Amino acid sequence: MTIADGHLGIWSALGETSRPGKEQRCWNHKIRNVLDCFPKRIRAEAAEQLKKIPYAATLVECERLRDMFVDRYRKDYLKATEKLLADWDRMLRSIHFRRNIGRTSDNQRG
């Protein structure tokens, strides 16, 4: 699994030099890009909610936190919610990866 920001050059170079693998967009970059859509007075509040999303224990919890964020801010900060939702499937690889590691570990113990 490769984790990188949305710079297309990185993904293109990886495709030329490495065998295909899973792509994970960088949560730090995603959060910073979303927060840039907010006025400074709101950023701390939005950041507190955003920072919980990548650490969700399950995919369902991750999506619940995403939906809460979008519901809270869509009306007044549409651009921020659109940025969060952009490339959403590429944001979830680490959650799938953590879930699969847990299964593998459980199977190896059994």
Side-chain angles (χ1 to χ4, degrees):
M1 180 170 62
T2 302
I3 299 173
D5 68 1
H7 191 275
L8 296 178
I10 292 171
W11 297 110
S12 177
L14 283 170
E16 293 175 12
T17 62
S18 303
R19 62 185 181 151
K22 301 292 185 189
E23 297 177 6
Q24 164 74 42
R25 292 289 301 274
C26 173
W27 272 103
N28 188 49
H29 283 93
K30 174 64 87 171
I31 290 170
R32 286 190 345 219
N33 290 339
V34 172
L35 291 175
D36 283 346
C37 297
F38 287 97
K40 289 182 180 179
R41 62 184 169 78
I42 306 240
R43 287 183 187 172
E45 173 190 326
E48 186 176 322
Q49 292 177 10
L50 278 173
K51 290 176 182 178
K52 293 177 184 177
I53 297 172
Y55 295 101
T58 66
L59 180 59
V60 171
E61 177 67 7
C62 180
E63 291 175 338
R64 185 185 71 78
L65 292 168
R66 174 206 61 197
D67 293 345
M68 285 175 50
F69 183 89
V70 169
D71 289 347
R72 165 72 176 88
Y73 294 109
R74 181 183 301 147
K75 181 181 175 195
D76 296 322
Y77 304 102
L78 180 61
K79 186 176 177 183
T81 59
E82 288 174 343
K83 279 211 186 276
L84 176 62
L85 297 173
D87 292 330
W88 181 254
D89 57 324
R90 286 183 166 184
M91 300 305 302
L92 303 176
R93 299 285 187 209
S94 63
I95 292 172
H96 293 293
F97 187 72
R98 287 191 313 252
R99 185 176 64 197
N100 289 336
I101 286 175
R103 283 192 196 139
T104 303
S105 298
D106 290 343
N107 291 337
Q108 289 174 348
R109 285 185 208 125

